[in-house]
Amino acid sequence: MKRYTILYAEDVPHYGLTEIEAADAADALAAARIADYSDLFMEPEWANAVCRRIVKIVDEDDTVVVENIALDDCVLRFGGEPDRRLCDAAPELLAVLKEARTVPWVHNAAITDDIEALRAICLAYSDWWNRKALPVIEKAAGPVPEDTS
């Protein structure tokens, strides 16, 4: 029998409480975003650990045999608001892509002489793209920055 070393991990949220004075909720949010809370006493909330995972399993020869195995349904992802929008839009993006399969394509459209069938395909695709695909892509991508050149 071989001996293996397993490195587990989990992320435990920490909480801190403070008060600020602000003119309104928008100012309170603005102040909270820039506040230095590093010296706040951060209380660990052990019961709410997330992202439980096996970081790695190493054999007795120090060879990593397994890495990054999730043990719960939590996913940690970096990328800020653009990634959050993309993740939030993923179910809708998937639904729109699946819907594209329902467009009545003409068999061998590339070699057909049936102009009306090709026209129907183009109209169906255009409708799908303009009413379904493009709006959800824009939702997932977020606002496009203005060109300031």
Side-chain angles (χ1 to χ4, degrees):
M1 298 283 282
K2 282 186 162 186
R3 180 172 297 276
Y4 295 89
T5 303
I6 303 167
L7 176 61
Y8 291 99
E10 66 182 10
D11 297 326
V12 177
H14 288 65
Y15 297 94
L17 185 64
T18 191
E19 292 183 5
I20 60 170
E21 290 186 17
D24 56 26
D27 285 346
L29 176 60
R33 285 185 184 270
I34 62 171
D36 178 11
Y37 57 87
S38 58
D39 62 341
L40 258 178
F41 183 72
M42 300 297 272
E43 206 42 58
E45 184 62 36
W46 296 105
N48 290 320
V50 294
C51 285
R52 289 185 167 112
R53 61 205 178 271
I54 296 170
V55 176
K56 63 183 175 180
I57 298 177
V58 180
D59 69 12
E60 52 197 16
D61 298 323
D62 282 335
T63 302
V64 175
V65 295
V66 175
E67 290 183 285
N68 301 322
I69 304 297
L71 298 175
D72 64 15
D73 291 332
C74 187
V75 176
L76 183 62
R77 190 169 163 98
F78 298 98
E81 191 56 31
D83 267 15
R84 181 182 314 280
R85 269 194 313 275
L86 183 58
C87 288
D88 288 347
E92 195 174 352
L93 286 163
L94 180 60
V96 166
L97 289 173
K98 284 181 176 180
E99 185 179 321
R101 292 188 336 192
T102 66
V103 175
W105 304 107
V106 172
H107 181 66
N108 291 329
I111 59 172
T112 187
D113 290 330
D114 188 346
I115 298 303
E116 285 306 311
L118 291 174
R119 182 177 183 279
I121 290 171
C122 290
L123 289 174
Y125 174 78
S126 176
D127 181 63
W128 171 81
W129 178 259
N130 290 320
R131 288 188 329 102
K132 305 284 179 89
L134 190 56
V136 75
I137 291 169
E138 289 171 348
K139 179 179 176 181
V144 177
E146 291 184 27
D147 185 7
T148 58
S149 57

